[in-house]
Amino acid sequence: MKVLVIGSGGREHALCWAIAKSPKCDELYCAPGNAGIDQVAICVDIAADDYQGLVNYAIDNEVDFVIVGPEGPLVDGLVDMLEKVGIKAFGPSASAARLEGSKGFMKDLCARHNIPTADYGRFDEPDAAKEYILRHHAPIVVKADGLAAGKGVIICRNENEAYAAIDHMMAERAFGSAGDEVIIEHFMAGEEASFFVLVDGETAVPLRSAQDHKPAFDGGEGPNTGGMGAYTPAPVIDEAMTKVIMETIIKPTVKAMASEGNPYKGVLYAGLMITEEGPLLMEYNARFGDPECQALMVTLKSDILDALIACADGTLKNVKLQWHDSAALTVVMATTGYPGRYESGSEIKGLEAADAIDGVVVFHAGTRMDNGKVVADGGRVLGITATAKNVAEAKKLAYTAVDLIDWPEGFYRSDIGWRAVNRSNIKTGHSSHGRHNTHRT
């Protein structure tokens, strides 16, 4: 079959890398792709937000199945457009993608169906938002309601920081229309984790758990980013915790969406806080996480294309996913200045040497070819992903590969995986460094 993946990030490279192995895939295309994706798929020069162009290409080239990677096209209804012309697609409809497109929609759904999450207020006027903060005090979390590339969440340690966050979003319009409305949420203390499930409208099948690292710098310092690294599995989510999450959060959400006329199909990504009282839902995303997807794809033994088709067809109950008995860790290399202003076009060397290490895959997130050279073309640029028997070994292998990459204009965190490594050290009686209990970052 002919398969088209939409997007140009590390998530899409990982998906293309995995789909290319499927015996069902005869021809694989990616629009617009990047320099790494070009090694496993045919890149098509159509932007991910050129929706009519993408639909026309799928029609003209008789594409059988389209996989929509980024959140923007999902929220804007690209899956609806494709299905309207008879093209099967993976991903939620626009009405279902509101779980990510509007944090207020998600929080209200949780309130109506008793899905555990933090108390909150929803505001479209700055003064009312500030009055809420005055009544409820800090620490508190201020969120832009709409899509903000993973950066629209500000944790505020005191009231003045919260007031500034509201002005930043609503008056200064730092996130554009995404900040027309804000959600103010009570602070959740605990350990953050990512939980992924495939959904076909009724059935939900869990993938492996993972943990992301949002802040830009070591120790959880600096501004939030789209993600500076990830690993799987997350020790904080064991079999018992998985059952609790499925029964109290995931299944009620899937049932609620269907009962309200918005059946959810695709991957549902729950950002969770594991607290002393149990798991709480922080947010939903309507797509695979990036960089979590990279770590998930290299540890998945099953044919990912089979599973994605089953989501679209409503036959997920027949799918049983198999995983390799290994851990994986991804280190993101980003352009200096990210998540703020940065310069594109710097050359990246050493990629072949890093990719040649057994157990390592270098996924491209923001690259392009320029006169035969790979150059940076985005904020997050590479996702160096390693598999090994445990997270600690995967971490060593990933950073060995990172050291081979010659890119002076890039930077990365040196502590990806510290939670899992610390937990392992505590179990074995080794000394540990860094924090073990974390607050939301």
Side-chain angles (χ1 to χ4, degrees):
M1 65 189 308
K2 293 183 179 180
V3 180
L4 170 64
V5 175
I6 307 298
S8 60
R11 165 185 49 231
E12 287 77 32
H13 189 181
L15 288 170
C16 286
W17 177 87
I19 291 165
K21 298 178 179 182
S22 172
K24 279 193 170 73
C25 182
D26 299 311
E27 297 178 33
L28 179 59
Y29 304 88
C30 186
N34 60 41
I37 294 173
D38 189 52
Q39 299 171 26
V40 294
I42 298 169
C43 289
V44 180
D45 189 19
I46 304 175
D49 60 358
D50 180 2
Y51 304 142
Q52 194 57 56
L54 292 168
V55 171
N56 290 343
Y57 180 86
I59 294 171
D60 294 344
N61 290 273
E62 299 180 333
V63 170
D64 300 294
F65 190 47
V66 178
I67 297 154
V68 182
E71 61 272 25
L74 292 168
V75 171
D76 289 343
L78 180 56
V79 168
D80 306 75
M81 294 177 66
L82 290 162
E83 291 181 344
K84 189 175 181 179
V85 296
I87 296 173
K88 187 184 297 185
F90 173 81
S93 64
S95 63
R98 284 182 295 169
L99 278 177
E100 176 169 8
S102 170
K103 294 179 177 66
F105 173 84
M106 185 219 82
K107 296 291 285 190
D108 289 350
L109 183 88
C110 289
R112 288 194 299 273
H113 296 274
N114 298 313
I115 298 166
T117 186
D119 291 338
Y120 71 104
R122 188 176 178 181
F123 305 94
D124 59 9
E125 201 279 321
D127 288 342
K130 292 176 181 179
E131 288 175 9
Y132 182 89
I133 290 166
L134 186 62
R135 293 196 305 273
H136 293 275
H137 308 295
I140 206 160
V141 183
V142 179
K143 299 180 176 182
D145 177 70
L147 298 178
K151 303 164 197 164
V153 177
I154 301 176
I155 301 160
C156 307
R157 294 166 293 182
N158 56 57
E159 283 80 3
N160 286 336
E161 286 185 1
Y163 300 151
I166 290 167
D167 289 339
H168 186 59
M169 293 181 188
M170 303 191 83
E172 299 167 17
R173 299 185 64 77
F175 306 112
S177 60
D180 287 347
E181 187 172 323
V182 298
I183 309 303
I184 302 177
E185 189 176 69
H186 289 210
F187 181 80
M188 290 179 272
E191 186 168 344
E192 190 171 342
S194 303
F195 192 84
F196 298 87
V197 293
L198 295 178
V199 187
D200 68 357
E202 294 182 0
T203 301
V205 173
L207 303 179
R208 267 186 162 189
S209 61
Q211 282 187 308
D212 190 9
H213 301 65
K214 287 290 187 186
F217 309 124
D218 284 8
E221 300 297 326
N224 266 358
T225 70
M228 293 299 295
Y231 59 90
T232 181
V236 71
I237 299 183
D238 56 16
E239 188 174 340
M241 182 61 70
T242 295
K243 185 175 180 180
V244 172
I245 293 166
M246 289 296 293
E247 294 300 324
T248 65
I249 295 175
I250 301 299
K251 289 181 180 179
T253 299
V254 174
K255 184 177 180 180
M257 291 293 286
S259 70
E260 295 190 6
N262 305 305
Y264 192 96
K265 290 187 175 184
V267 63
L268 187 58
Y269 161 15
L272 303 173
M273 186 65 74
I274 310 302
T275 73
E276 292 180 357
E277 293 76 32
L280 297 178
L281 177 66
M282 293 191 303
E283 64 182 9
Y284 271 130
N285 294 309
R287 34 71 190 184
F288 282 101
D290 186 343
E292 295 100 326
C293 185
Q294 291 87 305
L296 289 171
M297 288 302 106
V298 297
T299 54
L300 179 64
K301 186 184 294 186
S302 298
D303 186 333
I304 186 61
L305 186 56
D306 274 342
L308 302 185
I309 292 170
C311 287
D313 288 345
T315 59
L316 202 54
K317 63 183 179 182
N318 301 323
V319 171
K320 185 172 178 59
L321 297 176
Q322 301 291 327
W323 300 87
H324 292 291
D325 186 21
S326 59
L329 183 139
T330 299
V331 178
V332 169
M333 298 187 75
T335 307
T336 298
Y338 173 81
R341 297 184 64 180
Y342 55 84
E343 297 289 332
S344 294
S346 53
E347 184 181 358
I348 306 167
K349 300 177 182 178
L351 293 171
E352 289 185 3
D355 218 6
I357 296 175
D358 188 33
V360 171
V361 182
V362 177
F363 290 115
H364 292 228
T367 63
R368 60 180 168 84
M369 296 300 296
D370 185 3
N371 293 321
K373 300 175 182 178
V374 177
V375 301
D377 193 34
R380 293 186 299 162
V381 174
L382 300 170
I384 292 78
T385 303
T387 55
K389 63 182 180 180
N390 55 47
V391 173
E393 292 299 317
K395 178 178 180 178
K396 290 178 184 177
L397 192 59
Y399 281 107
T400 296
V402 168
D403 287 342
L404 294 176
I405 294 175
D406 179 11
W407 182 34
E409 295 81 4
F411 79 99
Y412 57 90
R413 282 182 59 162
S414 64
D415 63 347
I416 303 303
W418 67 266
R419 292 181 182 90
V421 173
N422 277 8
R423 184 176 270 107
S424 176
N425 287 341
I426 289 171
K427 284 183 177 180
T428 58
H430 295 157
S431 62
S432 62
H433 302 280
R435 299 162 298 167
H436 175 61
N437 294 315
T438 69
H439 293 299
R440 175 178 184 164
T441 55

